[in-house]
Amino acid sequence: MQWNNWSILLSEVLEQFSIGAFIIIGGVMLSGKLCFGQHDRVMKVLPFISWLLIASLLIREASLMAFTSSTSMTNSNTVVFVLVFVALTLIYSLCENRLIGKDGSRKLIIGVMLLWSIAYVINILSFSANAGHVGYMIITIFSIGFGGSLLAHAMLVKAQHKVDPLNIALPLFGTLISVIIFIVACLDLTTLVEQTQTGLLLPFIWRMVSMGCLIAATGLWLMSLLTKTKPVLAILACACTLAVIASLTVNGSF
């Protein structure tokens, strides 16, 4: 993989983490489990998803303009999905902050955003399948499922949510995904080891780094369950950083 592809990969990882996080948070908001105060605090952290998506678009477009020879697989449709999602987020924030429309109407906007997020996931998975990039599909599932759930948990902790089952369900769900991804990553490890004998070292190095970061991120996420304490935002933030690194480096090993 060429070094100038890493910035485009970073933009895709940020997109997928953000969309995955909203699927979790949007579902929680529609569930009615949040009281008025919790809902208000979640609304204050929700723009973080929009900022991440805007940052991903800026990184992507700057990279494509700067490196016209980039060989990274890109899906131009994702730009449309992200722009529409950001617009819907701004509309929902305006309606919620100004109390425009009825509560049911505002929930309808969240429902539309959830459907749009699911359509985004289907689009990138089908794009990868049609292009024959099975490895990219696995990476996408990891970024959206594991990374999105982890980011959502961190944002909910920041918002001081009181839905205690989430502090158990989200880490266990993320652990399940990480175990699946770890097993898949080990399947072609023998091939990567054989490549090192011909002087091709980087794929094996990137795979080891990604697997190490995945294990570390999962361990940090599970720490609150193992110690039977409340999740700590700083630890979840460190886990998110490790998850981003894991998602980036595993791209370099395929």
Side-chain angles (χ1 to χ4, degrees):
M1 179 181 294
Q2 299 179 5
W3 68 270
N4 55 11
N5 289 327
W6 290 105
S7 55
I8 295 179
L9 291 176
L10 176 60
S11 71
E12 293 175 349
V13 169
L14 293 179
E15 279 180 15
Q16 293 162 10
F17 272 50
S18 302
I19 295 297
F22 179 78
I23 291 175
I24 299 295
I25 293 178
V28 173
M29 293 173 70
L30 285 180
S31 68
K33 299 293 184 179
L34 301 174
C35 68
F36 178 79
Q38 296 172 50
H39 181 84
D40 184 61
R41 291 193 296 270
V42 169
M43 279 299 302
K44 290 180 180 179
V45 300
L46 194 60
F48 182 69
I49 292 178
S50 297
W51 286 115
L52 279 181
L53 289 173
I54 292 172
S56 72
L57 286 179
L58 293 176
I59 294 171
R60 173 194 173 96
E61 297 307 314
S63 301
L64 292 177
M65 288 188 295
F67 307 115
T68 54
S69 61
S70 175
T71 60
S72 178
M73 182 183 67
T74 57
N75 182 359
S76 58
N77 291 336
T78 59
V79 176
V80 177
F81 276 99
V82 172
L83 287 175
V84 173
F85 183 87
V86 172
L88 288 172
T89 304
L90 294 175
I91 293 173
Y92 174 73
S93 298
L94 177 63
C95 293
E96 190 69 36
N97 293 331
R98 302 283 183 172
L99 295 178
I100 299 175
K102 297 181 179 179
D103 183 63
S105 301
R106 297 195 292 272
K107 287 184 177 180
L108 179 61
I109 298 176
I110 298 179
V112 172
M113 293 171 67
L114 280 174
L115 292 176
W116 192 253
S117 300
I118 295 172
Y120 166 88
V121 175
I122 294 174
N123 175 263
I124 57 178
L125 288 178
S126 61
F127 176 81
S128 302
N130 293 333
H133 293 273
V134 179
Y136 189 78
M137 291 180 63
I138 297 170
I139 296 166
T140 300
I141 293 172
F142 167 71
S143 296
I144 295 176
F146 183 91
S149 300
L150 179 55
L151 178 59
H153 195 193
M155 293 176 65
L156 289 170
V157 170
K158 172 65 176 177
Q160 301 176 7
H161 76 99
K162 304 297 182 182
V163 189
D164 291 334
L166 289 176
N167 292 331
I168 299 176
L170 289 178
L172 292 179
F173 174 70
T175 301
L176 176 62
I177 294 180
S178 68
V179 169
I180 295 174
I181 298 300
F182 184 85
I183 294 173
V184 172
C186 291
L187 293 179
D188 63 341
L189 205 56
T190 303
T191 303
L192 295 179
V193 172
E194 292 176 352
Q195 290 177 357
T196 60
Q197 299 175 0
T198 62
L200 193 59
L201 298 176
L202 280 180
F204 176 75
I205 294 174
W206 291 135
R207 183 64 61 86
M208 290 296 98
V209 172
S210 66
M211 292 172 68
C213 289
L214 173 61
I215 294 172
T218 305
L220 288 175
W221 199 1
L222 287 173
M223 189 175 294
S224 60
L225 291 182
L226 297 175
T227 59
K228 297 182 180 180
T229 57
K230 290 185 178 180
V232 179
L233 180 60
I235 293 178
L236 292 178
C238 290
C240 284
T241 303
L242 290 170
V244 170
I245 297 174
S247 188
L248 281 174
T249 52
V250 77
N251 274 281
S253 65
F254 282 102

